[in-house]
Amino acid sequence: MSTPKKLRLAVLASGNGSNFEAIVRAIQSGDLLAEVVCLFCNVPHAKVLERAQAARVPTVVLDHRPFADREEYTDAMLKALLPFKADLVVLAGYMRILPGSFLRVFSNRVINIHPSLLPEFPGLHAIEKAWKAGAPQTGVTVHIVDEGVDTGPILAQESIELHKGETLESLENRVHQIEHRLLPRVLNDIAWGRMTLPARPSC
Ligand code: GRF
């Protein structure tokens, strides 16, 4: 097994930030060999920013709205993120699609958490879609990000059965509980060399 490596994580988020907080807590309790070097957020005043400040994690807020196009915004993102020298970029409720020009810089090193058993229910409102469809089970997927929407190689999944007559709120709570356990666990497995990411293509 390879030598453990304390991972430098750049977390990208747009909203609530409960997954960001789960990562921070796992680090603090010694369950995740990592450091969050930066919390990047595209939404000014998002709740995740309060969580990052409370955890004393450096934040970068870059509102996407004033930018003329996606490429200009991506250039600004990279300029802001590269000085942190992150080993991995973790999408934890980041609500924008990352273009190829970003993914090529961090190739095979951008990881996303999605609240369904992919390939089922990709995209927005995945928990609600599974609930409305009456799916017998749903779950959580952690995967490497490619240029598609929730289509990249799967690293880990955990499933749960829907209870008979379960409310959407109950299902959401149960899915989030899994997320908060699964994402730190996958990151820790990468840090300890128990999970290997695909090699980065050489330029
Ligand atoms: C989570 O359900 C995650 O799977 C999805 O966005 C949600 C973010 O929740 N990608 P939070 O902001 O971490 O609370």
Side-chain angles (χ1 to χ4, degrees):
M1 206 164 81
S2 55
T3 327
K5 180 185 192 322
K6 186 173 179 178
L7 294 175
R8 295 174 63 81
L9 305 176
V11 179
L12 275 51
S14 304
N16 178 30
S18 68
N19 282 283
F20 163 78
E21 188 153 333
I23 291 170
V24 168
R25 290 207 174 154
I27 292 170
Q28 287 167 347
S29 62
D31 291 331
L32 168 54
L33 181 63
E35 178 188 356
V36 181
V37 292
C38 163
L39 180 275
F40 177 96
C41 183
N42 64 308
V43 178
H45 313 299
K47 168 100 179 154
V48 68
L49 290 166
E50 288 169 35
R51 297 186 197 256
Q53 277 143 20
R56 297 180 189 280
V57 168
T59 57
V60 174
V61 184
L62 193 62
D63 189 345
H64 56 276
R65 288 170 300 186
F67 285 83
D69 57 36
R70 200 202 290 238
E71 283 311 312
E72 231 180 70
Y73 184 68
T74 304
D75 287 348
M77 266 181 105
L78 286 169
K79 208 168 166 192
L81 281 172
L82 286 173
F84 290 98
K85 299 193 183 308
D87 299 307
L88 288 182
V89 173
V90 181
L91 309 188
Y94 185 67
M95 302 307 283
R96 287 177 63 81
I97 292 173
L98 292 171
S101 53
F102 185 96
L103 296 174
R104 279 189 289 278
V105 173
F106 290 101
S107 57
N108 291 329
R109 295 298 179 272
V110 183
I111 286 174
N112 182 43
I113 179 146
H114 182 78
S116 79
L117 290 179
L118 290 172
E120 284 178 11
F121 308 115
L124 294 174
H125 312 302
I127 305 175
E128 190 176 343
K129 283 182 198 157
W131 181 77
K132 278 194 175 150
Q137 58 169 15
T138 188
V140 173
T141 303
V142 178
H143 68 96
I144 297 174
V145 176
D146 66 9
E147 289 190 45
V149 177
D150 302 321
T151 50
I154 291 173
L155 296 172
Q157 288 185 307
E158 195 175 316
S159 62
I160 46 169
E161 287 182 9
L162 274 76
H163 297 153
K164 203 163 178 275
E166 179 163 25
T167 62
L168 176 59
E169 193 189 358
S170 156
L171 182 62
E172 281 170 346
N173 286 336
R174 292 200 297 133
V175 168
H176 292 317
Q177 278 173 26
I178 295 177
E179 290 187 322
H180 299 162
R181 214 177 43 238
L182 189 64
L183 180 57
R185 202 195 77 204
V186 168
L187 295 172
N188 196 46
D189 282 350
I190 294 169
W192 285 88
R194 291 189 289 262
M195 189 180 278
T196 313
L197 297 175
R200 306 190 63 179
S202 48
C203 316

